[in-house]
Amino acid sequence: MTKKTNIEIPLLGDGRTEGAVIRLDQIKRDFQVGEETVHALRNVSFAINEGEFVTIMGTSGSGKSTLLNTLGCLDTPTAGEYYLDGVSVRKMGKNDRATLRNRKIGFVFQSYNLLPKTTAIENVELPLMYNPSYSASARKQKAIESLIAVGLGDRLQHKSNQMSGGQMQRVAIARALVNDPAVILADEATGNLDTRTSYEILVLFQRLHAEGRTIIFVTHNPEIAQYSSRNILLKDGRVVSDTVNNAIQSAAEELARLPREND
Ligand SMILES: Nc1ncnc2c1ncn2[C@@H]1O[C@H](COP(=O)(O)OP(=O)(O)OP(=O)(O)O)[C@@H](O)[C@H]1O
Ligand SMILES: [Mg+2]
């Protein structure tokens, strides 16, 4: 992985977005519901550089999940251009887009989305199944390394139903990392977790950020923005603010300050 780059604030439409991992240009997404058209995204443009940890916030219905689904190539915009690692996603066929998604994006969801009754290793191996260049033993080795990296070296053979919420989310993060993706996309990744466990997961995301990972983290929780390097606020499908955080807080320090349950 390349070193963390200095963050250049991409001014919308000024062209200073060369080399961005993600570039959205006037993205629109309309949903037709009966007679009504819902404008879920209205001319959203921004660029995200390698090594940024971006939180995306906004009230319910502001378009956060629609935006994340677009970024993750799970949904196709009605209009506009999306470049992922310099590649125009719009021009791609369905199969190429699926391959791009598999190689470039790691997803982390609120509800973990692990396979039930399946071990941690098997869950993490999954994204590598679509890549014929990995042998079964190489897959297993990569999965183990990824699980160790998220602190689950002692839970390799545990099944999803034998783990806590925080542990399941770590498995999901290990799965997101195993392909060494260009971007990690998280939708309310701490939404189902208690305060302490949420901070433990945030500590992990901050470590990945420090290691140079690019992270996009959708959340309802305004506190989480303090731990990221940039915050984009959506309202009614539009970007209403886009700010760099020059005073990033340490989730590890906050975790240390939290009272323990048995105190
Ligand atoms: N498949 C769909 N069909 C029709 N309308 C949709 C669809 N998906 C989303 N919408 C609408 O688009 C808008 C944005 O929805 P989205 O799920 O992106 O919001 P959100 O910011 O993620 O909200 P929340 O915080 O509640 O998760 C909403 O008005 C929603 O009703
Ligand atoms: Mg949502």
Side-chain angles (χ1 to χ4, degrees):
M1 199 165 29
T2 47
K3 238 178 90 244
K4 193 171 159 179
T5 48
N6 282 332
I7 299 161
E8 188 187 14
I9 310 160
L11 296 174
L12 301 185
D14 74 348
R16 278 196 305 131
T17 55
E18 299 270 300
V21 185
I22 278 176
R23 184 151 74 86
L24 297 183
D25 191 13
Q26 302 284 320
I27 291 289
K28 282 188 195 157
R29 180 61 166 110
D30 295 338
F31 292 108
Q32 200 65 43
V33 185
E35 297 285 280
E36 197 198 347
T37 306
V38 178
H39 302 287
L41 297 174
R42 308 174 197 237
N43 296 324
V44 171
S45 301
F46 58 73
I48 293 177
N49 287 330
E50 187 178 350
E52 287 195 79
F53 180 0
V54 181
T55 38
I56 294 179
M57 290 193 343
T59 52
S60 182
S62 58
K64 304 183 296 296
S65 294
T66 307
L67 177 57
L68 211 66
N69 290 340
T70 304
L71 294 174
C73 310
L74 294 167
D75 189 37
T76 313
T78 310
E81 283 284 357
Y82 170 29
Y83 297 92
L84 172 58
D85 232 5
V87 178
S88 167
V89 178
R90 186 175 62 84
K91 295 192 185 119
M92 295 188 122
K94 218 174 162 189
N95 290 344
D96 285 345
R97 206 158 55 217
T99 306
L100 187 76
R101 177 165 67 233
N102 180 254
R103 303 284 159 82
K104 299 278 183 191
I105 310 263
F107 289 99
V108 182
F109 299 97
Q110 176 170 9
S111 49
Y112 326 124
N113 291 18
L114 301 181
L115 293 179
K117 296 181 188 157
T118 303
T119 66
I121 290 184
E122 287 163 344
N123 266 291
V124 175
E125 276 182 331
L126 213 62
L128 301 176
M129 298 283 190
Y130 306 98
N131 190 337
S133 58
Y134 288 106
S135 66
S137 63
R139 257 192 335 251
K140 188 167 182 187
Q141 194 50 42
K142 292 264 304 178
I144 292 172
E145 285 167 15
S146 197
L147 282 160
I148 290 171
V150 300
L152 281 184
D154 57 348
R155 291 290 185 276
L156 300 176
Q157 301 293 349
H158 275 61
K159 296 187 175 157
S160 313
N161 55 318
Q162 298 169 329
M163 286 183 281
S164 68
Q167 287 169 342
M168 284 193 277
Q169 197 57 301
R170 283 175 196 273
V171 175
I173 294 168
R175 183 182 56 188
L177 289 172
V178 75
N179 249 340
D180 194 21
V183 186
I184 297 169
L185 300 181
D187 198 354
E188 301 280 5
T190 56
N192 280 357
L193 303 172
D194 61 61
T195 306
R196 171 166 284 278
T197 313
S198 295
Y199 276 102
E200 286 167 2
I201 294 296
L202 274 177
V203 170
L204 179 54
F205 274 105
Q206 281 200 320
R207 202 190 77 211
L208 296 174
H209 178 217
E211 289 169 5
R213 296 271 177 192
T214 309
I215 303 166
I216 303 179
F217 194 114
V218 160
T219 180
H220 265 120
N221 183 351
E223 285 177 23
I224 292 180
Q226 303 170 57
Y227 304 99
S228 72
S229 63
R230 175 175 166 194
N231 181 242
I232 292 175
L233 181 64
L234 291 181
K235 192 179 176 200
D236 298 331
R238 287 194 178 87
V239 174
V240 290
S241 80
D242 184 348
T243 49
V244 167
N245 179 10
N246 290 316
I248 302 175
Q249 303 295 303
S250 157
E253 283 173 18
E254 186 55 33
L255 181 63
R257 278 194 291 269
L258 287 178
R260 288 191 168 270
E261 254 163 45
N262 51 1
D263 279 355

Coordinates of all heavy atoms in Angstrom, one line a residue, residues 35-123:
E35 N -46.6 7.2 -9.2 CA -46.6 8.5 -9.9 C -45.5 9.4 -9.5 O -45.1 10.3 -10.2 CB -47.9 9.2 -9.7 CG -49.2 8.5 -10.2 CD -49.3 8.5 -11.7 OE1 -49.8 9.6 -12.2 OE2 -48.9 7.5 -12.3
E36 N -44.9 9.1 -8.3 CA -44.0 10.1 -7.7 C -42.5 9.7 -8.0 O -42.1 8.6 -8.1 CB -44.2 10.1 -6.2 CG -43.6 11.3 -5.5 CD -43.5 11.0 -4.0 OE1 -44.0 10.0 -3.5 OE2 -42.8 11.8 -3.4
T37 N -41.7 10.8 -8.3 CA -40.3 10.6 -8.4 C -39.6 11.1 -7.1 O -39.8 12.2 -6.7 CB -39.7 11.4 -9.6 OG1 -40.5 11.0 -10.8 CG2 -38.3 11.1 -9.8
V38 N -38.8 10.2 -6.5 CA -38.0 10.6 -5.3 C -36.6 10.9 -5.8 O -36.0 10.1 -6.5 CB -38.0 9.4 -4.3 CG1 -37.1 9.8 -3.1 CG2 -39.4 9.0 -3.9
H39 N -36.2 12.1 -5.5 CA -34.8 12.5 -5.9 C -33.9 12.3 -4.7 O -33.7 13.1 -3.9 CB -34.8 14.0 -6.2 CG -35.7 14.4 -7.3 ND1 -35.5 14.1 -8.7 CD2 -36.9 15.0 -7.3 CE1 -36.5 14.5 -9.4 NE2 -37.4 15.1 -8.6
A40 N -33.4 11.0 -4.7 CA -32.6 10.6 -3.6 C -31.2 11.3 -3.6 O -30.6 11.6 -2.5 CB -32.4 9.1 -3.6
L41 N -30.6 11.5 -4.7 CA -29.3 12.2 -4.9 C -29.5 13.3 -6.0 O -30.0 13.0 -7.1 CB -28.2 11.3 -5.2 CG -27.8 10.2 -4.2 CD1 -26.7 9.3 -4.8 CD2 -27.4 10.8 -2.9
R42 N -29.1 14.5 -5.7 CA -29.3 15.6 -6.6 C -28.0 16.3 -6.9 O -27.5 17.0 -6.0 CB -30.2 16.7 -6.1 CG -31.6 16.1 -5.6 CD -32.3 17.3 -4.9 NE -33.4 16.8 -4.1 CZ -34.7 17.2 -4.2 NH1 -35.0 18.0 -5.2 NH2 -35.6 16.7 -3.4
N43 N -27.3 16.0 -8.0 CA -26.1 16.6 -8.4 C -25.0 16.6 -7.3 O -24.5 17.6 -6.9 CB -26.3 18.0 -8.8 CG -27.2 18.1 -10.1 OD1 -27.1 17.2 -11.0 ND2 -28.1 19.1 -10.1
V44 N -24.7 15.4 -6.9 CA -23.6 15.2 -5.9 C -22.3 15.1 -6.6 O -22.1 14.3 -7.5 CB -23.9 14.0 -5.0 CG1 -22.7 13.7 -4.1 CG2 -25.2 14.2 -4.2
S45 N -21.4 16.0 -6.2 CA -20.0 16.0 -6.8 C -19.0 16.1 -5.6 O -19.1 17.0 -4.8 CB -19.8 17.2 -7.7 OG -20.7 17.2 -8.8
F46 N -18.1 15.2 -5.6 CA -16.9 15.4 -4.7 C -15.9 14.4 -5.1 O -16.1 13.4 -5.8 CB -17.3 15.3 -3.2 CG -17.9 14.0 -2.8 CD1 -17.2 12.8 -2.7 CD2 -19.3 14.0 -2.4 CE1 -17.8 11.6 -2.3 CE2 -19.9 12.8 -2.0 CZ -19.2 11.6 -1.9
A47 N -14.7 14.6 -4.6 CA -13.6 13.6 -4.8 C -13.0 13.2 -3.5 O -13.0 14.0 -2.5 CB -12.5 14.2 -5.7
I48 N -12.6 12.0 -3.4 CA -11.9 11.5 -2.1 C -10.6 10.9 -2.5 O -10.4 10.1 -3.4 CB -12.8 10.4 -1.5 CG1 -14.1 11.1 -1.0 CG2 -12.1 9.8 -0.3 CD1 -15.1 10.2 -0.3
N49 N -9.6 11.4 -1.8 CA -8.2 11.0 -2.1 C -7.8 9.8 -1.2 O -8.4 9.5 -0.2 CB -7.2 12.1 -1.8 CG -7.3 13.2 -2.8 OD1 -7.6 12.9 -4.0 ND2 -7.0 14.4 -2.5
E50 N -6.8 9.1 -1.7 CA -6.3 8.0 -0.9 C -5.9 8.4 0.5 O -5.3 9.4 0.7 CB -5.1 7.4 -1.6 CG -4.6 6.1 -1.0 CD -3.4 5.5 -1.7 OE1 -3.1 5.9 -2.8 OE2 -2.9 4.5 -1.2
G51 N -6.3 7.6 1.5 CA -5.9 7.8 2.9 C -6.8 8.7 3.6 O -6.6 9.0 4.8
E52 N -7.9 9.2 3.0 CA -8.9 9.9 3.8 C -9.8 9.0 4.6 O -10.2 7.9 4.1 CB -9.7 10.8 2.8 CG -9.0 12.0 2.3 CD -9.9 13.0 1.7 OE1 -10.5 13.8 2.4 OE2 -10.1 13.0 0.4
F53 N -10.3 9.5 5.7 CA -11.3 8.8 6.5 C -12.5 9.8 6.6 O -12.5 10.8 7.3 CB -10.8 8.6 7.9 CG -11.7 7.9 8.9 CD1 -13.0 7.5 8.5 CD2 -11.3 7.6 10.2 CE1 -13.9 6.9 9.4 CE2 -12.1 6.9 11.1 CZ -13.4 6.6 10.7
V54 N -13.5 9.5 5.7 CA -14.6 10.4 5.5 C -15.8 9.9 6.2 O -16.2 8.8 6.0 CB -14.9 10.6 4.0 CG1 -16.0 11.6 3.8 CG2 -13.6 11.0 3.3
T55 N -16.4 10.8 7.0 CA -17.8 10.4 7.5 C -18.8 11.1 6.7 O -18.6 12.2 6.3 CB -17.9 10.8 9.0 OG1 -17.3 12.1 9.2 CG2 -17.3 9.8 10.0
I56 N -19.9 10.4 6.4 CA -21.0 11.0 5.7 C -22.2 11.0 6.6 O -22.6 10.0 7.2 CB -21.3 10.2 4.4 CG1 -20.1 10.3 3.5 CG2 -22.6 10.7 3.8 CD1 -20.3 9.6 2.2
M57 N -22.8 12.2 6.9 CA -23.9 12.3 7.8 C -25.1 13.0 7.1 O -25.0 13.5 6.0 CB -23.4 13.2 9.0 CG -22.4 12.4 9.9 SD -22.2 13.2 11.5 CE -22.8 14.8 11.3
G58 N -26.2 13.0 7.9 CA -27.4 13.6 7.3 C -28.6 12.9 8.0 O -28.5 11.7 8.4
T59 N -29.7 13.6 8.0 CA -30.9 13.0 8.7 C -31.4 11.8 7.9 O -31.0 11.6 6.8 CB -32.0 14.0 8.8 OG1 -32.2 14.6 7.5 CG2 -31.6 15.1 9.8
S60 N -32.3 11.1 8.5 CA -32.9 9.9 7.8 C -33.5 10.3 6.5 O -34.3 11.3 6.5 CB -33.9 9.3 8.8 OG -34.5 8.1 8.2
G61 N -33.3 9.6 5.5 CA -33.8 9.9 4.2 C -33.0 10.9 3.4 O -33.4 11.3 2.2
S62 N -31.9 11.4 3.9 CA -31.1 12.4 3.2 C -30.3 11.9 2.0 O -29.7 12.6 1.2 CB -30.2 13.2 4.2 OG -29.3 12.2 4.8
G63 N -30.2 10.5 1.9 CA -29.5 9.9 0.8 C -28.2 9.2 1.1 O -27.5 8.8 0.1
K64 N -27.9 9.0 2.3 CA -26.6 8.4 2.7 C -26.4 7.0 2.1 O -25.4 6.7 1.5 CB -26.5 8.4 4.3 CG -26.7 9.7 4.9 CD -26.5 9.6 6.4 CE -27.5 8.8 7.1 NZ -28.9 9.3 7.1
S65 N -27.5 6.2 2.4 CA -27.3 4.8 1.9 C -27.3 4.7 0.4 O -26.6 3.9 -0.2 CB -28.4 3.9 2.5 OG -28.3 3.8 3.9
T66 N -28.1 5.6 -0.2 CA -28.1 5.6 -1.7 C -26.8 6.0 -2.2 O -26.2 5.4 -3.2 CB -29.2 6.6 -2.2 OG1 -30.5 6.3 -1.6 CG2 -29.3 6.6 -3.7
L67 N -26.1 7.0 -1.6 CA -24.8 7.4 -2.0 C -23.8 6.3 -1.8 O -23.0 6.0 -2.7 CB -24.4 8.6 -1.1 CG -23.0 9.2 -1.4 CD1 -22.8 9.6 -2.8 CD2 -22.7 10.4 -0.5
L68 N -23.9 5.6 -0.6 CA -22.9 4.5 -0.4 C -23.1 3.4 -1.4 O -22.2 2.8 -1.8 CB -23.1 4.0 1.1 CG -21.8 3.5 1.7 CD1 -20.8 4.6 1.9 CD2 -22.1 2.8 3.0
N69 N -24.4 3.1 -1.7 CA -24.6 2.0 -2.7 C -24.1 2.4 -4.0 O -23.6 1.5 -4.8 CB -26.1 1.8 -2.8 CG -26.7 1.1 -1.5 OD1 -25.9 0.5 -0.7 ND2 -28.0 1.2 -1.3
T70 N -24.2 3.7 -4.3 CA -23.6 4.1 -5.6 C -22.1 4.0 -5.6 O -21.5 3.4 -6.5 CB -23.9 5.6 -5.8 OG1 -25.3 5.8 -5.8 CG2 -23.4 6.1 -7.2
L71 N -21.4 4.4 -4.5 CA -20.0 4.3 -4.4 C -19.5 2.9 -4.4 O -18.5 2.5 -4.9 CB -19.5 5.0 -3.0 CG -19.7 6.5 -2.9 CD1 -19.4 6.9 -1.5 CD2 -18.9 7.2 -4.0
G72 N -20.4 2.0 -3.8 CA -20.0 0.6 -3.8 C -20.4 -0.2 -5.0 O -20.4 -1.4 -5.1
C73 N -20.9 0.5 -6.1 CA -21.3 -0.1 -7.4 C -22.4 -1.1 -7.1 O -22.6 -2.1 -7.9 CB -20.2 -0.8 -8.1 SG -18.7 0.2 -8.3
L74 N -23.2 -0.9 -6.1 CA -24.4 -1.7 -5.9 C -25.6 -1.1 -6.5 O -26.7 -1.8 -6.7 CB -24.7 -1.9 -4.4 CG -23.6 -2.6 -3.6 CD1 -23.9 -2.4 -2.1 CD2 -23.6 -4.1 -3.9
D75 N -25.5 0.1 -6.9 CA -26.6 0.9 -7.5 C -26.1 1.7 -8.6 O -24.9 2.2 -8.5 CB -27.3 1.7 -6.4 CG -28.6 2.3 -6.9 OD1 -29.3 1.6 -7.7 OD2 -28.9 3.5 -6.5
T76 N -26.9 2.0 -9.7 CA -26.4 2.7 -10.8 C -27.1 4.1 -10.8 O -28.3 4.2 -10.7 CB -26.8 2.0 -12.1 OG1 -26.4 0.7 -12.0 CG2 -26.1 2.6 -13.3
P77 N -26.3 5.2 -10.9 CA -26.9 6.5 -10.9 C -27.8 6.7 -12.1 O -27.6 6.1 -13.2 CB -25.8 7.5 -10.9 CG -24.5 6.7 -10.9 CD -24.9 5.2 -11.0
T78 N -28.8 7.6 -11.9 CA -29.7 8.0 -13.0 C -28.9 8.9 -14.0 O -29.1 8.8 -15.2 CB -30.9 8.8 -12.5 OG1 -31.5 8.0 -11.4 CG2 -32.0 9.0 -13.5
A79 N -28.0 9.7 -13.5 CA -27.2 10.6 -14.3 C -25.9 10.9 -13.6 O -25.9 10.8 -12.4 CB -27.9 11.9 -14.7
G80 N -24.9 11.3 -14.3 CA -23.6 11.7 -13.7 C -22.6 10.6 -13.9 O -22.9 9.5 -14.4
E81 N -21.4 11.0 -13.6 CA -20.2 10.1 -13.7 C -19.6 9.7 -12.4 O -19.5 10.6 -11.5 CB -19.1 10.8 -14.6 CG -19.4 10.8 -16.1 CD -19.2 9.5 -16.8 OE1 -18.8 8.5 -16.1 OE2 -19.5 9.4 -18.0
Y82 N -19.2 8.5 -12.3 CA -18.5 8.0 -11.1 C -17.3 7.3 -11.5 O -17.3 6.3 -12.3 CB -19.5 7.0 -10.3 CG -18.8 6.3 -9.2 CD1 -17.7 6.8 -8.5 CD2 -19.2 5.0 -8.8 CE1 -17.1 6.1 -7.5 CE2 -18.6 4.3 -7.8 CZ -17.5 4.9 -7.1 OH -16.9 4.2 -6.1
Y83 N -16.1 7.8 -11.1 CA -14.8 7.2 -11.3 C -14.3 6.5 -10.1 O -14.2 7.2 -9.0 CB -13.8 8.2 -11.8 CG -14.2 8.9 -13.1 CD1 -15.0 10.1 -13.1 CD2 -13.9 8.4 -14.3 CE1 -15.4 10.7 -14.3 CE2 -14.3 9.0 -15.5 CZ -15.0 10.1 -15.5 OH -15.4 10.7 -16.6
L84 N -14.1 5.3 -10.1 CA -13.5 4.5 -9.0 C -12.1 4.1 -9.4 O -11.9 3.4 -10.4 CB -14.4 3.3 -8.7 CG -13.8 2.3 -7.7 CD1 -13.5 3.0 -6.3 CD2 -14.8 1.1 -7.5
D85 N -11.1 4.7 -8.7 CA -9.7 4.4 -9.0 C -9.4 4.7 -10.5 O -8.7 4.0 -11.2 CB -9.4 2.9 -8.7 CG -8.1 2.8 -7.8 OD1 -7.6 3.8 -7.4 OD2 -7.7 1.7 -7.6
G86 N -10.0 5.8 -11.0 CA -9.8 6.3 -12.3 C -10.6 5.6 -13.4 O -10.5 6.0 -14.6
V87 N -11.4 4.6 -13.0 CA -12.3 3.9 -14.0 C -13.7 4.4 -14.0 O -14.3 4.5 -12.9 CB -12.3 2.4 -13.7 CG1 -13.1 1.6 -14.7 CG2 -10.8 1.8 -13.7
S88 N -14.2 4.7 -15.2 CA -15.6 5.2 -15.2 C -16.6 4.0 -15.0 O -16.6 3.0 -15.8 CB -15.9 5.8 -16.6 OG -17.3 5.9 -16.7
V89 N -17.3 4.0 -13.9 CA -18.2 2.9 -13.6 C -19.4 2.8 -14.5 O -19.8 1.7 -14.8 CB -18.6 3.0 -12.1 CG1 -19.5 1.9 -11.7 CG2 -17.4 3.0 -11.2
R90 N -19.9 4.0 -14.9 CA -21.1 4.0 -15.8 C -20.9 3.2 -17.1 O -21.8 2.6 -17.5 CB -21.4 5.5 -16.1 CG -22.7 5.6 -16.8 CD -23.1 7.1 -17.0 NE -22.1 7.8 -17.8 CZ -22.1 7.9 -19.1 NH1 -23.0 7.2 -19.8 NH2 -21.2 8.5 -19.8
K91 N -19.7 3.3 -17.6 CA -19.5 2.6 -18.9 C -19.3 1.1 -18.8 O -19.1 0.4 -19.8 CB -18.2 3.3 -19.6 CG -18.4 4.7 -19.9 CD -17.3 5.2 -20.8 CE -17.5 6.7 -21.1 NZ -16.3 7.5 -20.6
M92 N -19.2 0.6 -17.6 CA -18.9 -0.8 -17.5 C -20.2 -1.7 -17.6 O -21.3 -1.2 -17.2 CB -18.3 -1.1 -16.1 CG -17.0 -0.4 -15.9 SD -16.4 -1.0 -14.3 CE -14.9 -1.7 -14.9
G93 N -20.0 -2.9 -18.0 CA -21.1 -3.9 -18.0 C -21.2 -4.4 -16.6 O -20.4 -4.2 -15.7
K94 N -22.3 -5.2 -16.5 CA -22.6 -5.7 -15.2 C -21.5 -6.6 -14.6 O -21.2 -6.5 -13.4 CB -23.9 -6.5 -15.3 CG -24.9 -6.4 -14.2 CD -26.2 -7.1 -14.4 CE -26.9 -7.3 -13.1 NZ -28.1 -8.2 -13.3
N95 N -21.0 -7.5 -15.4 CA -20.0 -8.4 -14.9 C -18.7 -7.7 -14.5 O -18.1 -8.0 -13.5 CB -19.7 -9.5 -16.0 CG -20.8 -10.4 -16.2 OD1 -21.7 -10.5 -15.3 ND2 -20.8 -11.1 -17.3
D96 N -18.3 -6.7 -15.4 CA -17.0 -6.0 -15.0 C -17.2 -5.2 -13.8 O -16.3 -5.0 -12.9 CB -16.7 -5.0 -16.2 CG -16.1 -5.7 -17.4 OD1 -15.7 -6.9 -17.2 OD2 -16.1 -5.2 -18.5
R97 N -18.5 -4.7 -13.6 CA -18.7 -3.9 -12.4 C -18.7 -4.8 -11.2 O -18.2 -4.4 -10.1 CB -20.1 -3.2 -12.5 CG -20.2 -2.0 -11.7 CD -21.3 -1.0 -12.2 NE -22.5 -1.7 -12.3 CZ -23.4 -1.5 -13.3 NH1 -23.2 -0.6 -14.2 NH2 -24.6 -2.1 -13.3
A98 N -19.2 -6.0 -11.3 CA -19.1 -6.9 -10.2 C -17.7 -7.2 -9.8 O -17.3 -7.3 -8.6 CB -19.9 -8.2 -10.5
T99 N -16.9 -7.4 -10.8 CA -15.5 -7.7 -10.6 C -14.8 -6.5 -9.9 O -14.0 -6.7 -8.9 CB -14.7 -8.1 -11.9 OG1 -15.5 -9.1 -12.5 CG2 -13.3 -8.5 -11.7
L100 N -15.1 -5.3 -10.5 CA -14.5 -4.1 -9.9 C -14.9 -4.0 -8.4 O -14.0 -3.7 -7.6 CB -15.0 -2.9 -10.7 CG -14.4 -1.5 -10.3 CD1 -13.0 -1.4 -10.9 CD2 -15.3 -0.4 -10.8
R101 N -16.1 -4.2 -8.1 CA -16.6 -4.1 -6.8 C -15.9 -5.1 -5.9 O -15.4 -4.8 -4.8 CB -18.1 -4.5 -6.8 CG -18.7 -4.5 -5.4 CD -20.3 -4.4 -5.5 NE -20.8 -5.6 -6.0 CZ -21.7 -5.7 -7.1 NH1 -22.1 -4.6 -7.7 NH2 -22.1 -6.8 -7.5
N102 N -15.7 -6.3 -6.3 CA -15.1 -7.4 -5.6 C -13.6 -7.0 -5.3 O -13.1 -7.3 -4.2 CB -15.2 -8.7 -6.3 CG -14.5 -9.8 -5.5 OD1 -13.5 -10.3 -5.9 ND2 -15.1 -10.3 -4.4
R103 N -12.9 -6.4 -6.2 CA -11.5 -6.2 -6.1 C -11.2 -4.8 -5.4 O -10.2 -4.7 -4.7 CB -10.8 -6.1 -7.5 CG -11.0 -7.4 -8.3 CD -10.1 -8.5 -7.7 NE -10.6 -9.8 -8.2 CZ -10.4 -10.3 -9.4 NH1 -9.6 -9.7 -10.3 NH2 -10.9 -11.5 -9.7
K104 N -12.1 -3.9 -5.5 CA -11.7 -2.5 -5.1 C -12.4 -2.1 -3.8 O -12.0 -1.1 -3.2 CB -12.1 -1.5 -6.2 CG -11.4 -1.7 -7.5 CD -10.0 -1.1 -7.5 CE -9.3 -1.2 -8.8 NZ -7.9 -0.9 -8.7
I105 N -13.5 -2.8 -3.5 CA -14.4 -2.2 -2.4 C -14.5 -3.3 -1.3 O -14.8 -4.5 -1.5 CB -15.8 -1.9 -2.9 CG1 -15.7 -1.1 -4.1 CG2 -16.6 -1.3 -1.8 CD1 -15.9 0.4 -3.9
G106 N -14.3 -2.8 0.0 CA -14.7 -3.7 1.1 C -15.9 -3.1 1.8 O -15.8 -1.9 2.2
F107 N -16.9 -3.9 2.0 CA -18.1 -3.4 2.7 C -18.2 -3.8 4.1 O -17.9 -5.0 4.5 CB -19.4 -4.0 2.0 CG -19.6 -3.4 0.6 CD1 -19.2 -4.2 -0.5 CD2 -20.2 -2.2 0.4 CE1 -19.4 -3.7 -1.8 CE2 -20.5 -1.8 -0.8 CZ -20.1 -2.5 -2.0
V108 N -18.7 -2.9 5.0 CA -19.0 -3.2 6.4 C -20.4 -2.7 6.6 O -20.7 -1.5 6.4 CB -18.0 -2.6 7.3 CG1 -18.3 -3.0 8.8 CG2 -16.6 -3.0 7.0
F109 N -21.3 -3.6 7.1 CA -22.7 -3.2 7.3 C -23.1 -3.1 8.8 O -22.4 -3.8 9.6 CB -23.6 -4.1 6.5 CG -23.4 -4.2 5.1 CD1 -22.7 -5.2 4.5 CD2 -24.0 -3.2 4.2 CE1 -22.5 -5.2 3.1 CE2 -23.8 -3.3 2.8 CZ -23.1 -4.3 2.3
Q110 N -24.1 -2.4 9.0 CA -24.6 -2.4 10.4 C -24.9 -3.7 11.0 O -24.6 -4.1 12.1 CB -25.9 -1.5 10.4 CG -26.6 -1.4 11.8 CD -27.7 -0.4 11.8 OE1 -28.1 0.2 10.8 NE2 -28.2 -0.1 13.0
S111 N -25.5 -4.6 10.2 CA -26.0 -5.9 10.6 C -25.0 -7.0 10.3 O -25.3 -8.2 10.3 CB -27.3 -6.2 10.1 OG -27.3 -6.0 8.7
Y112 N -23.7 -6.6 10.1 CA -22.6 -7.5 9.9 C -22.6 -8.3 8.6 O -21.6 -8.5 7.9 CB -22.3 -8.5 11.1 CG -22.7 -7.9 12.4 CD1 -23.6 -8.5 13.3 CD2 -22.1 -6.7 12.8 CE1 -23.9 -8.0 14.5 CE2 -22.5 -6.1 14.1 CZ -23.4 -6.8 14.9 OH -23.7 -6.2 16.1
N113 N -23.8 -8.9 8.3 CA -24.0 -9.7 7.0 C -23.0 -10.8 6.9 O -22.5 -11.0 5.8 CB -23.9 -8.8 5.8 CG -25.1 -7.8 5.7 OD1 -25.8 -7.6 6.7 ND2 -25.4 -7.3 4.5
L114 N -22.8 -11.5 8.0 CA -22.0 -12.7 7.9 C -22.9 -13.9 7.6 O -24.1 -13.9 7.8 CB -21.3 -13.0 9.3 CG -20.4 -11.9 9.8 CD1 -19.8 -12.3 11.2 CD2 -19.3 -11.5 8.9
L115 N -22.3 -14.9 7.0 CA -23.0 -16.2 6.8 C -23.2 -16.9 8.1 O -22.3 -17.0 8.9 CB -22.2 -17.1 5.9 CG -22.0 -16.7 4.4 CD1 -21.2 -17.7 3.7 CD2 -23.4 -16.4 3.8
P116 N -24.5 -17.3 8.4 CA -24.7 -17.9 9.7 C -24.1 -19.3 9.8 O -23.9 -19.9 8.8 CB -26.3 -18.0 9.7 CG -26.7 -18.0 8.3 CD -25.7 -17.2 7.6
K117 N -23.8 -19.7 11.0 CA -23.3 -21.0 11.3 C -22.0 -21.3 10.4 O -21.8 -22.5 10.0 CB -24.3 -22.1 11.0 CG -25.5 -22.0 12.0 CD -26.5 -23.1 11.7 CE -27.8 -22.8 12.5 NZ -29.0 -23.5 11.9
T118 N -21.3 -20.3 10.1 CA -20.1 -20.4 9.3 C -18.9 -19.8 10.1 O -19.1 -18.8 10.8 CB -20.3 -19.7 8.0 OG1 -21.5 -20.2 7.4 CG2 -19.2 -19.8 7.0
T119 N -17.8 -20.4 10.0 CA -16.7 -20.0 10.9 C -16.1 -18.6 10.4 O -16.4 -18.2 9.2 CB -15.5 -20.9 10.8 OG1 -14.9 -21.0 9.5 CG2 -15.9 -22.3 11.3
A120 N -15.4 -18.0 11.3 CA -14.8 -16.7 11.0 C -13.9 -16.8 9.7 O -14.0 -16.0 8.8 CB -14.0 -16.2 12.2
I121 N -13.1 -17.8 9.7 CA -12.2 -18.0 8.5 C -13.0 -18.1 7.2 O -12.7 -17.4 6.2 CB -11.3 -19.2 8.7 CG1 -10.3 -19.0 9.8 CG2 -10.6 -19.6 7.4 CD1 -9.3 -20.2 10.0
E122 N -14.0 -18.9 7.3 CA -14.8 -19.1 6.0 C -15.5 -17.8 5.6 O -15.6 -17.5 4.4 CB -15.9 -20.2 6.2 CG -15.2 -21.6 6.3 CD -16.2 -22.7 6.9 OE1 -17.2 -22.3 7.6 OE2 -15.8 -23.9 6.7
N123 N -16.0 -17.1 6.5 CA -16.6 -15.8 6.2 C -15.6 -14.9 5.5 O -16.0 -14.2 4.6 CB -17.2 -15.1 7.5 CG -18.7 -15.5 7.6 OD1 -19.5 -15.0 6.9 ND2 -19.0 -16.3 8.6

